[in-house]
């Protein structure tokens, strides 16, 4: 008979895994649906990615403010405001590149390309935090980059999805994904610097960063003239409004499960769950949205996920503070838009 402590740990782990998998898989499907599937009889495409950023951030900001008030913790900023603004700008650019990339590359390509985020994390970590990495970290980065390159450069020639928007451009999509990886790496590294430089509670950072993001994304929508256009679109397409509301809800809910998992089981368990989630999301997208894979893409996927799982299972001892492993790429810091 299982001991009560082990049984409780099992159910806690099941709760964490199911929470992350459900929220982030739904998030991934909704991303692709909103940005790539036409709405209504006239087959209109939703083109206002900054509006999605605004909706996500205002939801997360409200929840984090509620968490701070419920815990009776101070709402005052811990760090100078310009630090929150820097993270906010970088995160907005990260998320915008991510959503815009879905107009030009498929979700499986985008998801697998995100696995290469360890490379910019290592670069920014060296420049900003003066961290050092070991040979195995560089080997892993090379293998993952090779796998991602195979997946991106050798798409299936028969990839004609029933939802195909006719806007695919691999080159432009790759540029957007490079922008995503670069900005995401900076966001993760700079947040890490804030946590180490200030006695900062995670909800405090999330609240002020998302508050800045709300202001900046709202301003961007006004300058672009997209705010009223986006509101008009969702008012005419109630199913799109529902999709955006659900996207923002699961994006916020996932933060609870991510924080809970890392706090309870550690970063290693979290990294393994996230790798599995990416694999499930790719397979689900291929089935749901009709993305066939070439044999080169299968090889690329095996190289990427094989490398990540090997890294996870071999990483049995905690690392020294003077080194850093880019396996998570800052997944759990601000928003799962980067996950």
């Amino acid at each position: 008979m299982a001991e009560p402590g082990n049984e409780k740990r099992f159910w806690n782990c099941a709760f964490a895994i199911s929470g992350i998998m459900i929220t982030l898989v739904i998030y991934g499907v909704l991303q692709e649906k909103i940005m790539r599937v036409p709405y209504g009889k006239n087959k209109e495409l939703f083109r206002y990615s900054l509006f999605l950023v605004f909706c996500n951030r205002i939801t997360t900001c409200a929840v984090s403010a509620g968490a701070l008030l419920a815990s009776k913790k101070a709402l005052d900023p811990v760090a100078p405001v310009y630090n929150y603004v820097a993270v906010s700008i970088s995160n907005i650019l990260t998320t915008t590149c991510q959503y815009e990339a879905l107009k030009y590359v498929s979700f499986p390509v985008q998801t697998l390309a995100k696995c290469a985020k360890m490379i910019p994390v290592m670069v920014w970590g060296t420049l900003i935090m003066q961290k050092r990495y070991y040979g195995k970290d560089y080997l892993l980065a090379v293998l993952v980059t090779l796998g991602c390159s195979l997946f991106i450069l050798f798409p299936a020639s028969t990839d004609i999805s029933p939802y195909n928007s006719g806007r695919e451009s691999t080159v432009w999509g790759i540029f957007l994904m490079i922008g995503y990886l670069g900005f995401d790496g900076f966001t993760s590294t700079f947040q890490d610097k804030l946590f180490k430089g200030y006695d900062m509670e995670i909800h405090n950072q999330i609240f002020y960063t998302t508050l800045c993001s709300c202001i900046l994304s709202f301003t961007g929508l006004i300058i672009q003239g997209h705010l009223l256009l986006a509101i008009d679109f969702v008012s005419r397409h109630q199913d799109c409004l529902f999709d955006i509301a659900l996207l923002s809800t699961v994006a916020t809910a996932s933060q609870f499960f991510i924080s809970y998992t890392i706090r309870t089981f550690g970063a290693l368990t979290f990294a393994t769950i996230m790798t599995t989630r990416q694999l499930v999301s790719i397979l689900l997208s291929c089935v749901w949205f009709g993305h066939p894979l070439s044999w080169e893409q299968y090889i690329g996927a095996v190289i990427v996920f094989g490398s990540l799982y090997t890294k996870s299972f071999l990483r049995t001892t905690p690392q020294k503070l003077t080194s850093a492993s880019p396996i998570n790429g800052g997944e759990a810091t601000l928003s799962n838009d980067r996950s």
Side-chain angles (χ1 to χ4, degrees):
M1 181 178 293
E3 297 181 5
N6 291 336
E7 183 176 354
K8 181 180 179 181
R9 184 173 177 81
F10 169 80
W11 287 112
N12 287 343
C13 187
F15 172 73
I17 292 173
S18 59
I20 289 177
M21 294 292 288
I22 290 172
T23 54
L24 293 187
V25 168
I26 291 175
Y27 180 84
V29 171
L30 286 173
Q31 272 190 98
E32 185 164 16
K33 183 186 177 195
I34 293 171
M35 297 306 300
R36 290 177 65 90
V37 178
Y39 286 94
K41 295 180 180 179
N42 295 327
K43 303 296 183 182
E44 294 182 78
L45 289 163
F46 185 82
R47 304 174 183 274
Y48 315 107
S49 54
L50 197 57
F51 185 75
L52 293 182
V53 177
F54 174 72
C55 292
N56 286 356
R57 296 301 178 269
I58 198 169
T59 303
T60 306
C61 183
V63 172
S64 59
L68 284 173
L69 292 173
S71 61
K72 297 182 180 179
K73 293 181 179 178
L75 278 174
D76 297 331
V78 177
V81 175
Y82 64 82
N83 286 318
Y84 297 105
V85 173
V87 174
S88 177
I89 291 174
S90 179
N91 186 253
I92 286 177
L93 292 172
T94 298
T95 312
T96 302
C97 285
Q98 174 181 263
Y99 289 143
E100 286 294 313
L102 279 174
K103 296 178 180 179
Y104 305 100
V105 298
S106 67
F107 180 78
V109 170
Q110 185 197 74
T111 301
L112 199 77
K114 289 179 183 179
C115 294
K117 66 172 60 181
M118 64 185 63
I119 298 171
V121 166
M122 292 169 72
V123 173
W124 287 117
T126 302
L127 294 176
I128 297 177
M129 302 287 289
Q130 285 77 52
K131 292 181 178 179
R132 62 184 179 86
Y133 300 93
Y134 298 119
K136 60 183 180 181
D137 294 316
Y138 291 106
L139 176 61
L140 176 64
V142 170
L143 288 174
V144 171
T145 302
L146 174 63
C148 291
S149 299
L150 287 173
F151 202 90
I152 293 171
L153 297 177
F154 296 95
S157 59
T158 57
D159 188 4
I160 303 175
S161 167
Y163 304 106
N164 195 302
S165 64
R167 294 180 296 174
E168 280 70 10
S169 171
T170 303
V171 175
W172 184 233
I174 290 174
F175 276 122
L176 285 168
M177 286 308 301
I178 291 174
Y180 160 84
L181 292 170
F183 290 125
D184 180 61
F186 174 83
T187 303
S188 304
T189 307
F190 200 74
Q191 283 180 282
D192 189 23
K193 184 178 179 67
L194 286 183
F195 277 121
K196 287 181 169 61
Y198 299 91
D199 184 16
M200 184 177 293
E201 203 270 343
I202 188 170
H203 289 297
N204 182 281
Q205 185 184 124
I206 291 176
F207 172 70
Y208 278 100
T209 305
T210 52
L211 179 62
C212 292
S213 296
C214 288
I215 296 172
L216 292 172
S217 57
F218 183 80
T219 303
L221 285 168
I222 295 294
I223 294 174
Q224 292 177 335
H226 287 176
L227 180 61
L228 295 180
L229 293 174
I231 294 174
D232 175 67
F233 187 97
V234 297
S235 66
R236 289 185 290 106
H237 303 288
Q238 296 297 313
D239 50 342
C240 182
L241 178 62
F242 175 79
D243 288 342
I244 293 175
L246 184 57
L247 180 77
S248 299
T249 301
V250 296
T252 302
S254 68
Q255 295 307 296
F256 165 78
F257 292 107
I258 288 173
S259 299
Y260 174 80
T261 302
I262 293 177
R263 185 174 64 249
T264 307
F265 301 102
L268 176 58
T269 299
F270 170 69
T272 306
I273 295 172
M274 290 300 291
T275 301
T276 305
R277 194 279 304 177
Q278 289 174 316
L279 180 58
V280 170
S281 294
I282 287 175
L283 295 175
L284 182 60
S285 177
C286 288
V287 173
W288 195 308
F289 295 100
H291 300 298
L293 299 179
S294 66
W295 65 268
E296 292 95 344
Q297 287 180 309
Y298 280 112
I299 293 175
V302 169
I303 292 174
V304 170
F305 288 111
S307 300
L308 293 178
Y309 277 121
T310 300
K311 173 68 173 180
S312 294
F313 292 128
L314 290 180
R315 190 179 175 215
T316 55
T317 56
Q319 293 178 295
K320 297 178 182 179
L321 292 177
T322 55
S323 67
S325 174
I327 187 170
N328 293 337
E331 292 269 12
T333 45
L334 174 63
S335 169
N336 69 307
D337 290 332
R338 302 193 306 275
S339 60

